[in-house]
Amino acid sequence: MKLLKAISLLTLSSRLDVATADGLYWNRISTFPTCLQLDDTCNLNNYTAAFTVSTTTDGNTAIYADQFLHSLGFTDISDASNPSPAGTMSLPGKPTVVAVKDDKYVIVAVVTKDAASEGKMVVVNLATKEIMKEVDLTGEPDWLALSPDKQYAAITSSAPEGAGAVHVIDISAEDPMSWSDPKMVTIAGLSGLTNPDAPHPASISINEENKAVVSLPKNNAFVMIDVESASVIESFTQGSVDLTNVDLTDNGIIDHSDSKSGVLREADGVAWIGTEYFASANKGDNQCFEFLSSVSRPLSRIFALLNAASSDGGARGFTIFSSDGTVVWDSGIALDQILTSVGHYADESSDDFGIAVENVLYAADLQELLLNSEGGHVTIVYDVSDPASPVFKQVLPSGYRPESSTYVQDRKLFITASEFDERDNKVRGSLIIYSYGDDNAQYPTLMSDVGQNGLRIPWSALSGMSADKNSETTLYTVNDSAFKKSQIFTIDTSGYSPAMITNAMYITDSNDVLAAVQPRGTVTEDGVDNEFSAEDIAEMVNDDKTVNIDQEGIVAVSDGFWIATEGSGTIDDPKRPIKTLSLLFKTDKDGVIEQVVTLPDEVNDIQLRFGFEGVTANDNEDRVIVAFQRAWGSENNPRIGIYNTVDGTWKFAYYPLDARESQLGGWVGLSDISNAGGGNYLVLERDNQGGLDSVIKRIYHINVGNDIEDGATLEKTLVLDLADLIKTTGAPLYEKLEGLAYTPEGNVWLSVDNDGVSEVPGETQLWNLGQIYTAPSTESVEETSG
């Protein structure tokens, strides 16, 4: 079966996994945070990341360029499932691309900007990790490629005035000291360029005939070069595409209903497929990613730069050309739809920049293309055994912003370099290692089906989760405040893995129930906003009666749903004014709001911005139980709220949190709660850390009968520590485990919130943990009235 042939969506099957020629798949087996080179627990804030990566021929050592530390990093991957640091060495500037020759020398393109030149080719002795030679280059080097026969190195660079050139160096001599001086191939003034005087060459790939293709994204063109003679063969335009069913607006809603004509491809990464064809990654000419190591933190500031600088180009996919520049095949909107289906489509990078397909690699023996999406943080794999008719194969989680990748043919390993490092945002620069040969793809675990409009159902930022009391295979979940239209999603787990989102339903205030909620609070004399005002309430309802609430919990009941919204703002905190309260919403089965429940005034008076985080109901559905994420006011522990749906009263117990264990500190709180029957409930508890800083990701049992004493402190029992489970994915610990559901047959489901693919790798994991919980044998008081 072929998927996503050309630009058609008609061949898109329900699930994205496809039977391959050999029936084998890629799976992630490990992640190596580059901070391990500096500290064995990464307990430091230094910026360190892998910009590009290469390996020795035997595939036992990975070498990467660290633009933050101006160094080379060496990683022992002889045990690819357990990589370890093997040291670093300083370079005379910022490295861009690294390559290995004959397992003796590492060749690095380095931006120096010193008095002599703006860049150098640096040759390192692999055995001694010492610099052997430095060769001055004209302009700032961008990309470096070695010819397949390892006789030539070619480096692209851009001069200050924008002219740009390609440097070709004969590296055939055994002794690097005998390698030739660079021959500069001038590519200014060529045909097919939109601005011939400023070509700005980017990526380069050399085929077995020593013919190089060079991408010029700012000029929407390619240049073909004969490497042996260091001369231009020809140049031609990359052309344009007409886009339909795309999301071109960053507005907090994923809506693929836009269109645009004549969109320039502006390809960046290129890779030969044999000698007759090459593939291009059509990212767009936005160059922000190339200098991110020098801009200010935090990541939100960087994203502001990216959005402000987004180009009008970028065809949002990839194209296969023949060597003469003829378009053989174009992906159209297929990649947008793939990322939408697996929850990796970031609305904030919609605009024209899209999913930012940055680079492409060809695994010749497998006849596969592996494309890295910087905007979606995934690698997309296509079978190109027939270059005129590529077949989608699978999608891989790639870490945050994969800048480059390499393939170790003899070991069937694929490695991506994740170029970003931001400890506070739980993002660490890393090498991510994948192995080929499994019968099943481990990712995605959740994806969406085709909706009524023929496109994939958009979803992301899933928080709370609930099982259907009448179905073992149906789950419900909600998106949080990452999106401006709140939705309830239906998940069919019968085909797990992956499970399938089969329906998305908007929550609506069709009967003005939310609009009629009464304001409360005041603005104090010193200007502190403690008011949940009429204006705040109005902002929660969109013009079309959909609502914009921070859904963090959901429970399905016999006549609809209860939704818990976290609330926004902290009492008496001028930096975090009250915008919304923690609220309970009762909807019918169609998502129409029937009731809005507020907390008692004395509880609202101590509001903390970490409010309702999970919700469930008792067996009789006459009690709704909510979990507060953290303790409010001066209280020591978060509340478990019990709302009596019959008489409209509240009662509260306190949940004793685990003490913080993270080396970074942070906090510990609750994420979700689920009814396990007979007054027994499962609670998801976690710290707010990720990766090596994270420790607490645990499921506990509590008992909350109807006769629980108001103000009581609950007892809890550990059901499962989730750390070992998460490590089986080959990823560091996820921060936001937020969804927990207990099914009628006693299976426990767990999910990860991907934060709408905003400043995070964007993975959503959905696990069936099985029947991990057995209820206590003591007689329950759950069904006691009162």
Side-chain angles (χ1 to χ4, degrees):
M1 177 172 58
K2 293 185 176 182
L3 299 187
L4 299 175
K5 182 177 181 181
I7 62 172
S8 174
L9 292 177
L10 298 178
T11 55
L12 187 58
S13 71
S14 293
R15 286 178 166 79
L16 294 180
D17 48 343
V18 186
T20 59
D22 55 10
L24 302 178
Y25 295 88
W26 291 98
N27 280 314
R28 180 179 54 193
I29 58 173
S30 63
T31 298
F32 175 77
T34 55
C35 51
L36 289 174
Q37 299 278 15
L38 307 178
D39 182 87
D40 59 6
T41 64
C42 283
N43 191 18
L44 39 72
N45 296 321
N46 305 58
Y47 296 119
T48 168
F51 187 71
T52 57
V53 62
S54 186
T55 68
T56 53
T57 304
D58 62 12
N60 288 330
T61 303
I63 303 121
Y64 61 89
D66 190 325
Q67 293 200 330
F68 290 110
L69 298 182
H70 290 191
S71 67
L72 284 182
F74 300 85
T75 305
D76 182 353
I77 59 171
S78 53
D79 178 0
S81 62
N82 188 30
S84 59
T88 63
M89 62 164 291
S90 297
L91 294 169
K94 183 174 69 175
T96 56
V97 182
V98 57
V100 180
K101 174 177 167 58
D102 301 334
D103 284 352
K104 295 180 180 179
Y105 312 114
V106 182
I107 303 173
V108 194
V110 179
V111 178
T112 55
K113 293 188 176 180
D114 58 22
S117 68
E118 290 193 297
K120 296 179 182 292
M121 182 185 80
V122 176
V123 183
V124 174
N125 184 305
L126 182 56
T128 64
K129 296 183 175 64
E130 296 177 340
I131 294 176
M132 300 178 61
K133 183 176 184 177
E134 297 183 17
V135 179
D136 290 340
L137 301 173
T138 300
E140 297 182 20
D142 188 347
W143 206 255
L144 178 154
L146 301 188
S147 60
D149 59 12
K150 300 298 191 292
Q151 301 297 295
Y152 297 94
I155 302 173
T156 63
S157 67
S158 291
E161 66 276 10
V166 177
H167 302 79
V168 177
I169 302 101
D170 186 330
I171 59 172
S172 59
E174 185 173 344
D175 182 0
M177 303 308 294
S178 300
W179 292 355
S180 73
D181 293 332
K183 294 181 179 179
M184 191 169 71
V185 183
T186 301
I187 55 176
L190 300 176
S191 61
L193 280 64
T194 57
N195 184 4
D197 294 331
H200 289 285
S203 298
I204 184 169
S205 178
I206 307 173
N207 67 18
E208 293 182 351
E209 296 177 346
N210 282 331
K211 183 177 182 179
V213 56
V214 181
S215 67
L216 284 63
K218 283 183 174 293
N219 276 269
N220 196 47
F222 295 117
V223 175
M224 290 291 178
I225 292 174
D226 180 86
V227 174
E228 294 180 8
S229 63
S231 60
V232 172
I233 300 173
E234 61 180 327
S235 58
F236 44 81
T237 181
Q238 297 174 4
S240 64
V241 296
D242 295 335
L243 296 176
T244 58
N245 295 321
V246 290
D247 184 359
L248 299 177
T249 308
D250 177 10
N251 59 356
I253 302 169
I254 300 177
D255 180 11
H256 292 102
S257 61
D258 296 328
S259 62
K260 191 170 185 178
S261 300
V263 179
L264 303 181
R265 288 193 169 89
E266 295 179 336
D268 191 345
V270 288
W272 282 100
I273 305 173
T275 58
E276 296 183 27
Y277 306 96
F278 67 90
S280 68
N282 305 330
K283 171 188 172 184
D285 75 1
N286 186 322
Q287 298 297 306
C288 285
F289 293 109
E290 275 60 55
F291 62 84
L292 287 184
S293 59
S294 64
V295 300
S296 301
R297 299 299 180 279
L299 287 180
S300 57
R301 194 172 306 169
I302 292 172
F303 268 102
L305 285 172
L306 291 176
N307 289 330
S310 290
S311 73
D312 288 330
R316 313 172 79 89
F318 75 102
T319 307
I320 295 179
F321 294 84
S322 63
S323 58
D324 64 0
T326 302
V327 173
V328 174
W329 186 91
D330 190 277
S331 64
I333 64 168
L335 302 195
D336 272 27
Q337 286 296 295
I338 290 171
L339 266 63
T340 298
S341 182
V342 298
H344 277 265
Y345 188 89
D347 179 68
E348 68 180 359
S349 62
S350 290
D351 303 306
D352 293 302
F353 191 56
I355 63 174
V357 189
E358 165 78 0
N359 54 73
V360 57
L361 179 148
Y362 178 58
D365 60 323
L366 302 177
Q367 295 184 300
E368 291 182 358
L369 282 180
L370 297 101
L371 301 115
N372 289 334
S373 164
E374 279 196 297
H377 320 300
V378 295
T379 297
I380 306 163
V381 185
Y382 269 80
D383 179 334
V384 289
S385 52
D386 178 0
S389 186
V391 178
F392 171 75
K393 181 178 178 182
Q394 66 178 127
V395 61
L396 301 167
S398 68
Y400 190 76
R401 297 210 172 282
E403 175 63 25
S404 76
S405 54
T406 191
Y407 173 53
V408 184
Q409 179 171 318
D410 290 346
R411 297 187 65 192
K412 296 295 186 290
L413 297 177
F414 172 65
I415 306 172
T416 61
S418 181
E419 64 172 328
F420 237 89
D421 195 51
E422 183 73 31
R423 189 184 189 190
D424 288 346
N425 280 339
K426 293 80 180 176
V427 173
R428 305 289 349 213
S430 302
L431 298 179
I432 298 90
I433 304 177
Y434 312 81
S435 178
Y436 183 84
D438 289 344
D439 293 334
N440 297 292
Q442 296 173 3
Y443 196 84
T445 55
L446 178 66
M447 56 178 290
S448 66
D449 207 340
V450 176
Q452 294 181 351
N453 59 359
L455 304 175
R456 289 284 169 162
I457 298 171
W459 65 275
S460 199
L462 304 182
S463 52
M465 189 162 57
S466 171
D468 188 314
K469 293 176 66 174
N470 300 311
S471 170
E472 181 62 25
T473 61
T474 301
L475 301 174
Y476 300 99
T477 186
V478 288
N479 56 5
D480 62 22
S481 60
F483 296 96
K484 292 183 178 179
K485 289 190 176 184
S486 301
Q487 292 179 282
I488 298 172
F489 299 94
T490 304
I491 301 175
D492 175 10
T493 66
S494 61
Y496 181 80
S497 169
M500 184 71 64
I501 292 176
T502 57
N503 186 59
M505 176 174 63
Y506 288 113
I507 298 175
T508 62
D509 192 34
S510 302
N511 299 321
D512 294 328
V513 177
L514 174 56
V517 170
Q518 294 300 305
R520 73 170 304 277
T522 60
V523 177
T524 64
E525 292 182 0
D526 57 359
V528 178
D529 183 0
N530 290 331
E531 183 182 19
F532 180 48
S533 66
E535 290 76 12
D536 293 333
I537 297 169
E539 288 181 6
M540 300 171 70
V541 183
N542 301 313
D543 292 341
D544 60 358
K545 296 293 186 177
T546 59
V547 298
N548 176 18
I549 59 179
D550 186 9
Q551 304 177 106
E552 295 292 348
I554 179 174
V555 60
V557 291
S558 57
D559 59 348
F561 303 92
W562 284 94
I563 307 292
T565 177
E566 184 172 15
S568 173
T570 298
I571 288 289
D572 294 332
D573 185 345
K575 295 182 179 180
R576 296 185 176 93
I578 298 296
K579 294 294 292 181
T580 63
L581 304 178
S582 285
L583 300 170
L584 272 177
F585 292 84
K586 172 63 174 61
T587 78
D588 65 15
K589 291 184 177 181
D590 295 321
V592 178
I593 296 173
E594 298 178 324
Q595 184 181 1
V596 179
V597 178
T598 62
L599 287 165
D601 286 344
E602 63 270 20
V603 181
N604 282 326
D605 286 343
I606 58 171
Q607 175 173 323
L608 186 75
R609 63 191 178 100
F610 300 97
F612 290 169
E613 193 69 16
V615 64
T616 190
N618 67 352
D619 295 346
N620 293 336
E621 297 183 1
D622 60 355
R623 302 291 191 277
V624 177
I625 297 90
V626 293
F628 290 55
Q629 186 170 69
R630 294 177 63 187
W632 281 17
S634 60
E635 298 172 347
N636 295 322
N637 286 305
R639 296 183 180 220
I640 299 294
I642 304 101
Y643 177 70
N644 187 319
T645 63
V646 178
D647 61 19
T649 60
W650 283 93
K651 189 160 50 174
F652 300 94
Y654 291 92
Y655 178 94
L657 289 171
D658 289 349
R660 294 179 299 179
E661 299 178 36
S662 171
Q663 62 188 7
L664 192 57
W667 50 260
V668 179
L670 302 182
S671 273
D672 207 353
I673 185 169
S674 187
N675 181 9
N680 299 299
Y681 297 86
L682 298 182
V683 178
L684 183 57
E685 184 175 345
R686 67 172 178 89
D687 57 26
N688 70 327
Q689 304 301 322
L692 295 175
D693 291 324
S694 182
V695 181
I696 297 174
K697 313 292 180 189
R698 297 165 185 163
I699 297 174
Y700 284 95
H701 157 262
I702 58 174
N703 187 279
V704 186
N706 287 352
D707 62 349
I708 188 83
E709 183 180 351
D710 191 28
T713 297
L714 301 168
E715 295 183 359
K716 67 179 185 179
T717 305
L718 180 66
V719 175
L720 184 65
D721 191 316
L722 298 164
D724 290 340
L725 164 74
I726 297 170
K727 290 175 183 176
T728 64
T729 67
L733 288 183
Y734 304 96
E735 179 202 358
K736 292 191 175 181
L737 303 186
E738 292 208 359
L740 184 70
Y742 186 85
T743 72
E745 294 182 7
N747 287 297
V748 178
W749 287 84
L750 177 71
S751 64
V752 176
D753 177 4
N754 74 354
D755 271 343
V757 203
S758 173
E759 303 185 13
V760 293
E763 289 185 40
T764 297
Q765 294 283 356
L766 177 69
W767 291 287
N768 182 358
L769 305 181
Q771 296 178 348
I772 61 171
Y773 167 73
T774 301
S777 58
T778 55
E779 184 177 353
S780 171
V781 293
E782 161 68 12
E783 302 307 329
T784 302
S785 62

